[in-house]
């Protein structure tokens, strides 16, 4: 039985066409593996059970004639599609190559299959491997450029917003200062016009009879100065204040 991607089981169908891409299929027959060993003599019979096997190949003709299907002496005499066992690491790895034989010395490789621990896979072609690796690298490169571009766009937008905010803040501050000066002048003008229109303030009402206002600090200071001047004795003039002049008698 063959296992497709997603662990779906497939029943054996018609033989696949040569060159068909079957890299997404894995074949494994656990009943066969439990009953027979997997070695270089029986691996081709195990491979012939898989959907990768082309029943029109020269190896099948040898099997029908009861000849070992991997007998190179017989295959070299034939032309057409054939399978060859190219690499062997018993019992874990077997590499089978599908090729087209035009003459005993001229063969053209077509596809490769490998049996890994009883599971058969089709090896991808080299061009497909390169295409997949390049596509994956381009995907990550494009993703990196997209991320970098988005970050740079955010940084540029933030810088432009900051500059616009600073410009707006400076403009609003200047406008606010201008408006404040105008308001001050307008209020001064209104107060001056109201002062001209209003009559002068009336004098304060007189104190009631017998009320003595409390002395203020200036009044107390003036009283103390006056008392000090009155208590101070006048200074006697040494020339004027000497009494009558005394005359000598002859």
């Amino acid at each position: 039985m063959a296992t497709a991607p997603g662990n779906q089981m497939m029943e054996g169908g018609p033989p696949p066409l040569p060159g068909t891409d079957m890299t997404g299929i894995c074949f494994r027959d656990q009943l066969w593996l439990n009953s027979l060993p997997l070695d270089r003599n029986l691996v081709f019979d195990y491979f012939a059970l898989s959907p990768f096997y082309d029943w029109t190949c020269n190896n099948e003709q040898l099997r029908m004639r009861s000849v070992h299907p991997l007998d190179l002496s017989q295959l070299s005499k034939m032309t057409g599609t054939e399978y060859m066992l190219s690499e062997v690491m018993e019992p874990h790895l077997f590499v089978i190559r599908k090729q087209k034989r035009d003459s005993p010395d001229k063969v053209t490789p077509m596809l490769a299959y490998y049996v890994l621990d009883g599971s058969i896979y089709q090896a991808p072609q080299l061009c497909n491997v390169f295409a997949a690796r390049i596509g994956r690298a381009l995907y990550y490169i494009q993703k990196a450029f997209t991320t970098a571009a988005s970050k740079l766009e955010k940084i540029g937008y933030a810088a432009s917003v900051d500059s616009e905010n600073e410009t707006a803040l400076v403009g609003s501050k200047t406008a606010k200062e201008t408006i404040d000066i105008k308001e001050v002048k307008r209020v001064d003008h209104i107060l001056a016009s109201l002062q001209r229109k209003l009559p002068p303030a009336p004098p304060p009402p007189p104190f009631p009879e017998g009320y003595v206002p409390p002395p203020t600090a200036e009044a107390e200071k003036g009283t103390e100065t006056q008392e000090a001047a009155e208590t101070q004795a006048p200074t006697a003039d040494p020339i004027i204040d000497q009494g009558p002049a005394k005359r000598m008698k002859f």
Side-chain angles (χ1 to χ4, degrees), residues 36 47 58 72-73 87 96 131 160 162 192 194 204-205 217 245:
L36 296 173
F47 177 77
N58 298 334
L72 184 58
S73 61
E87 299 290 340
I96 299 174
S160 63
D162 292 340
L194 290 176

Side-chain angles (χ1 to χ4, degrees), residues 36-158:
L36 296 173
L38 194 61
D39 54 16
R40 65 177 63 240
N41 295 321
L42 298 177
V43 66
F44 191 83
D45 295 332
Y46 179 67
F47 177 77
L49 300 175
S50 69
F52 305 108
Y53 185 66
D54 186 0
W55 292 86
T56 63
C57 64
N58 298 334
N59 307 83
E60 184 63 24
Q61 298 180 19
L62 295 179
R63 292 179 68 188
M64 294 174 63
R65 294 186 310 196
S66 300
V67 180
H68 195 279
L70 297 178
D71 189 353
L72 184 58
S73 61
Q74 297 294 328
L75 290 174
S76 60
K77 299 177 182 179
M78 306 171 70
T79 58
T81 305
E82 65 182 22
Y83 293 95
M84 290 293 297
L85 188 62
S86 59
E87 299 290 340
V88 177
M89 293 178 61
E90 293 180 337
H92 302 290
L93 178 63
F94 303 88
V95 179
I96 299 174
R97 183 176 69 244
K98 183 179 182 180
Q99 59 190 12
K100 181 180 180 182
R101 181 175 294 275
D102 298 325
S103 65
D105 299 329
K106 183 180 180 181
V107 292
T108 304
M110 299 173 60
L111 294 172
Y113 306 90
Y114 57 96
V115 183
L116 181 62
D117 292 331
S119 299
I120 305 177
Y121 306 88
Q122 177 182 339
Q125 295 185 4
L126 190 60
C127 60
N128 296 335
V129 174
F130 285 158
R133 297 294 176 86
I134 293 174
R136 182 177 297 180
L138 290 177
Y139 167 76
Y140 285 111
I141 291 173
Q142 184 179 4
K143 186 177 180 180
F145 274 112
T146 303
T147 305
S150 62
K151 291 185 177 180
L152 291 176
E153 184 177 358
K154 291 180 180 178
I155 293 173
Y157 176 75

Side-chain angles (χ1 to χ4, degrees), residues 227-238:
E227 291 178 355
E230 290 178 356
T231 56
Q232 185 178 5
T235 306
D237 191 345

